Amino acid sequence: MSTQAETTAADARRSAQREALLDAASEMLVHGGPDAISLRKLAARVGTSTMAVYTAFGGKEGLIAALFEEAFDRLAAAEEAVPHNKEPLLYLHDLARAYRSFALKNPSYYALMISSTLPVPDSLRHGEAEESNPAARGVTKHRSYQIMFDAVKDCVEEGSLPSHHGAEVLADALWAAVHGLCSLELAGFHDSAEAAEKRFNVTTGAILRGLLTPEGRKKLDGLSRN
């Protein structure tokens, strides 16, 4: 009969193996697409058996689905590690920087997130049927998006962001800006890391300031001077 310590150690090994499989599979998927994922090659790369892959994910489709969930879960973990500043504007700013940091540290997972926002046929773009919803609409259901949305909502409630647009519109605008900037940086758009960071700071700062209420701009100016 196994002890609690043995059970805990076995769970830790399974968790580490699952993470290693996902990391290896994310690179295979990004570099070669779904056809590049061979469960046999994946198992060999991690040093385990094909059966272990089936046990963990149920097969190739389950593995790919787990990869997308892992990408958003890791982003959420990065956001949750951000200290919750009592000033909503500063907290929102810190979340944007955490988003960029996650993207730079996890390029293969971030590439999966980018793939969910690639163009879809006109027939799917604005459809209302649940079964035809493009992958991009699922973004708002993830915890990572909700964390950012709640921060935007706090800024609306305390008066720094306007209420007439609706928190959803404001959150979408800010998320789109950060998402696009990180996508360009990872694609090699900038000629240096310094240039990329400067453009990230200037662009996100300008967009946020443009959305702020007069009271929000005064508060931001006061916070910047401190």
Side-chain angles (χ1 to χ4, degrees), residues 6 20 54 59 90 97 103 108 180 212 215:
E6 289 171 335
Y54 278 102
L90 292 182
R97 295 190 63 81
S108 60
L212 292 174
E215 293 77 11

Side-chain angles (χ1 to χ4, degrees), residues 1 13 27 53 90 147 153 176 181 202 209 212 225:
M1 187 173 182
R13 285 193 297 272
E27 295 179 5
V53 182
L90 292 182
I147 292 169
K153 191 166 63 172
L181 288 165
V202 168
R209 177 172 287 277
L212 292 174
R225 287 193 292 269

Side-chain angles (χ1 to χ4, degrees), residues 210-224:
L211 293 172
L212 292 174
T213 61
E215 293 77 11
R217 285 192 285 274
K218 288 180 183 177
K219 170 173 273 196
L220 183 62
D221 289 340
L223 292 171
S224 300

Side-chain angles (χ1 to χ4, degrees), residues 131-183:
E131 62 272 12
S132 67
N133 278 351
R137 292 195 199 172
V139 169
T140 59
K141 295 181 173 63
H142 287 277
R143 191 168 83 257
S144 56
Y145 186 92
Q146 192 61 47
I147 292 169
M148 184 272 297
F149 174 80
D150 288 344
V152 169
K153 191 166 63 172
D154 287 344
C155 288
V156 171
E157 291 176 352
E158 60 97 36
S160 291
L161 286 171
S163 60
H164 63 275
H165 291 305
E168 295 85 356
V169 172
L170 298 172
D172 286 354
L174 293 171
W175 181 82
V178 174
H179 184 73
L181 288 165
C182 290
S183 302

Side-chain angles (χ1 to χ4, degrees), residues 7-218:
T7 300
T8 301
D11 288 341
R13 285 193 297 272
R14 281 192 292 270
S15 177
Q17 184 181 77
R18 184 179 189 277
E19 184 173 334
L21 287 167
L22 287 170
D23 286 348
S26 70
E27 295 179 5
M28 295 169 73
L29 183 61
V30 167
H31 292 133
D35 292 339
I37 294 183
S38 159
L39 299 189
R40 179 179 58 79
K41 290 180 180 179
L42 175 62
R45 186 169 174 177
V46 176
T48 188
S49 66
T50 305
M51 183 55 67
V53 182
Y54 278 102
T55 299
F57 305 107
K60 187 172 177 177
E61 288 187 7
L63 172 62
I64 292 175
L67 282 169
F68 279 94
E69 289 300 318
E70 181 73 8
F72 284 100
D73 286 348
R74 289 192 181 197
L75 172 57
E79 292 173 324
E80 288 170 344
V82 175
H84 201 132
N85 197 299
K86 64 179 182 180
E87 290 290 351
L89 278 176
L90 292 182
Y91 180 53
L92 189 59
H93 171 268
D94 291 343
L95 285 178
R97 295 190 63 81
Y99 192 104
R100 176 173 178 260
S101 179
F102 161 80
L104 296 180
K105 291 177 181 176
N106 300 272
S108 60
Y109 282 106
Y110 194 71
L112 295 177
M113 296 169 62
I114 293 172
S115 72
S116 70
T117 57
L118 293 177
V120 296
D122 289 345
S123 59
L124 296 179
R125 197 161 298 154
H126 300 120
E128 296 182 1
E130 188 69 28
E131 62 272 12
S132 67
N133 278 351
R137 292 195 199 172
V139 169
T140 59
K141 295 181 173 63
H142 287 277
R143 191 168 83 257
S144 56
Y145 186 92
Q146 192 61 47
I147 292 169
M148 184 272 297
F149 174 80
D150 288 344
V152 169
K153 191 166 63 172
D154 287 344
C155 288
V156 171
E157 291 176 352
E158 60 97 36
S160 291
L161 286 171
S163 60
H164 63 275
H165 291 305
E168 295 85 356
V169 172
L170 298 172
D172 286 354
L174 293 171
W175 181 82
V178 174
H179 184 73
L181 288 165
C182 290
S183 302
L184 286 174
E185 183 171 359
L186 289 176
F189 182 78
H190 309 292
D191 57 13
S192 69
E194 293 76 17
E197 182 169 12
K198 180 177 181 179
R199 284 158 177 75
F200 182 89
N201 291 335
V202 168
T203 305
T204 54
I207 291 172
L208 179 59
R209 177 172 287 277
L211 293 172
L212 292 174
T213 61
E215 293 77 11
R217 285 192 285 274
K218 288 180 183 177

